[in-house]
Amino acid sequence: MPAAPRHLSTSRRIGAFTLCAALPLLSIPLASAPSSAAPLTPFALMSLAVHDAVKAGWVHEVAKGSAPGRTFSMDNEIGTTEGHQVVVSNGAHAEVILLGQVAYIHGDVQAVKQYFGLSTTDPAKYANKWLSLTSTSSDFANVSDAVTLQSDFQTITIPGTLKEGSTLVLNGQKVVPIEGTIPATTSNIAIKATLYVSKSSPVLPAEFRLTSSSESVTVTWSKWGHAVLLVAPKSTHPITNP
């Protein structure tokens, strides 16, 4: 498996070979909003946004990232147990359709080898054709990661001290920014992180930004609750442990 993407290694959202360090995975309880009228802390507001996102049913997601010598884009339709993902990352093209316990993947040689990370010594054998994997395959979790709401939003979190900014309008919607910093590591500088969440209930993420002097990642969400009909490819090649 190639080096993990910077700050988002726990999902393939930013691609398995675009950016190059790890966002700590926080355990955020999916609890409902408190019944009292007291204002939520920034962490509690972020937790509520993640909770409501996972429970929303469906969402359209667009992600873009850049770093020196690297670019990335992704366009997703994400449901509770189903999803569709289209990725272009450093010239590699990949596509995923997840239908419950079966994942269908399609990609060029670079995508098979690096993005999907299939355990194969012959990626060309599996390139440019639809492959199917069931949940019993050792590669299923890897290729289906971030294609469902639960797996997608488990990494949209910011560690450490958070600050809630003033309400603003983003893409025609009133949102509140939750700001923080992902700490520097021995190999990477610190990076600013901002999660914008809606003011109205349910509280839902609208945009997530990671920025530093050399990197930029933006993830946006829209069409909450709009279900998408997904169908399996007509011709597929089942694989278990390539």
Side-chain angles (χ1 to χ4, degrees):
M1 187 68 180
R6 176 174 171 85
H7 304 308
L8 289 174
S9 66
T10 48
S11 86
R12 293 179 298 104
R13 172 180 293 100
I14 307 305
F17 47 91
T18 50
L19 313 178
C20 56
L23 170 65
L25 177 59
L26 302 185
S27 177
I28 291 187
L30 298 181
S32 58
S35 57
S36 67
L40 297 176
T41 65
F43 182 86
L45 185 60
M46 179 175 64
S47 174
L48 179 59
V50 172
H51 168 273
D52 288 355
V54 172
K55 300 298 182 183
W58 282 90
V59 70
H60 179 68
E61 177 185 82
V62 176
K64 294 182 179 181
S66 64
R70 299 181 173 96
T71 60
F72 166 85
S73 66
M74 178 180 285
D75 195 293
N76 302 332
E77 301 290 349
I78 303 173
T80 302
T81 61
E82 300 177 351
H84 182 210
Q85 191 178 78
V86 179
V87 180
V88 179
S89 186
N90 284 356
H93 293 72
E95 186 171 358
V96 180
I97 298 174
L98 178 66
L99 299 174
Q101 299 301 305
V102 182
Y104 303 93
I105 63 175
H106 187 281
D108 53 23
V109 172
Q110 191 175 2
V112 171
K113 183 179 179 180
Q114 298 184 3
Y115 185 76
F116 292 128
L118 293 181
S119 53
T120 176
T121 57
D122 185 14
K125 178 181 177 181
Y126 297 99
N128 302 310
K129 63 182 69 174
W130 279 104
L131 311 173
S132 63
L133 301 88
T134 67
S135 58
T136 59
S137 169
S138 59
D139 289 309
F140 180 82
N142 188 47
V143 303
S144 62
D145 189 25
V147 194
T148 63
L149 291 171
Q150 179 70 54
S151 64
D152 192 54
F153 282 96
Q154 66 182 349
T155 52
I156 301 299
T157 58
I158 307 170
T161 302
L162 303 177
K163 175 185 176 182
E164 182 179 331
S166 301
T167 301
L168 55 89
V169 177
L170 182 65
N171 299 323
Q173 180 183 16
K174 287 187 177 181
V175 297
V176 174
I178 302 171
E179 303 169 339
T181 300
I182 297 171
T185 67
T186 55
S187 57
N188 293 285
I189 63 174
I191 189 166
K192 180 182 178 181
T194 305
L195 176 65
Y196 297 86
V197 302
S198 65
K199 285 281 290 182
S200 57
S201 183
V203 176
L204 294 169
E207 188 166 297
F208 187 51
R209 297 177 186 174
L210 297 171
T211 55
S212 74
S213 58
S214 59
E215 299 176 72
S216 175
V217 175
T218 301
V219 185
T220 59
W221 297 278
S222 62
K223 300 180 182 179
W224 289 98
H226 290 246
V228 176
L229 178 62
L230 301 177
V231 296
K234 292 182 178 180
S235 177
T236 64
H237 302 266
I239 60 174
T240 52
N241 294 302

